[in-house]
Amino acid sequence: RFVKYHVVYRSSRRHMSSMLPRHMKSFNNNDGIQSSPLDRPVLSLIDATAIFIFAAIGKASHAPDGSIDILAVGMTAFPFLLSWFLTTPLLGLYRPEATSDWKQSITTTARGWIVAIPLGCVLRGVIKGYVPPLPFVIVTMIATLIILSAVRAAYTAVSELYVEMF
């Protein structure tokens, strides 16, 4: 059932893509399938969760009692979520081949990470009204690379296993 749906879905997306204006087709992959986070909602949710996990760990580590304020976590995660979902579709992180195997998944994640996370630091600085300190930027870069790569590699492994089972 999965394969049949996937084939129908892909062919209908290809047909829809042929009706797009020329300037909008540049964001499509070779199959004519758009690479939007909306096209891969589970992967998008996993990415958002990974960024929230990063923000929650950071907020909890700075709280005197280790508690987590959900609103503060959301405010910390917001600029990173915004930068991630604005830049990564343009860099191909939601194309099917981005998660074709775990190595490709990590490589593609790094390509999006190197653009989105520094932009997130800049956006956070603009929102907060000051330049983030260098230790924050370094920890942010390392932690987000590890978390995002790990969850995307796990997604790829599970999706490969799921396809093989059915």
Side-chain angles (χ1 to χ4, degrees), residues 73-118:
V73 170
M75 292 299 293
T76 300
F78 174 73
F80 297 100
L81 289 167
L82 183 64
S83 65
W84 184 262
F85 287 113
L86 286 177
T87 61
T88 55
L90 303 175
L91 298 170
L93 268 74
Y94 293 98
R95 292 181 179 172
E97 61 269 14
T99 55
S100 59
D101 63 59
W102 69 271
K103 288 180 185 177
Q104 181 66 30
S105 181
I106 291 172
T107 304
T108 307
T109 301
R111 188 173 60 225
W113 164 83
I114 199 67
V115 174
I117 301 305

Side-chain angles (χ1 to χ4, degrees), residues 9-20 24-36 39 94-97:
Y9 173 76
R10 290 184 74 154
S11 64
S12 66
R13 295 291 292 168
R14 189 175 305 122
H15 174 70
M16 289 170 56
S17 173
S18 66
M19 296 185 296
L20 289 173
M24 291 180 75
K25 289 182 183 181
S26 62
F27 298 111
N28 294 348
N29 68 13
N30 296 340
D31 291 340
I33 301 171
Q34 279 190 306
S35 59
S36 161
D39 292 328
Y94 293 98
R95 292 181 179 172
E97 61 269 14

Side-chain angles (χ1 to χ4, degrees), residues 2 12 16 21-22 37 52 54 61 64 79 86-87 90 102 105 122-125 150-152 154 158 162 166:
F2 173 75
S12 66
M16 289 170 56
R22 184 178 204 169
F52 269 105
F54 154 73
S61 70
L86 286 177
T87 61
L90 303 175
W102 69 271
S105 181
V122 169
L123 290 173
R124 186 170 191 272
V151 298
R152 278 182 156 247
V158 169
Y162 177 75
F166 299 100

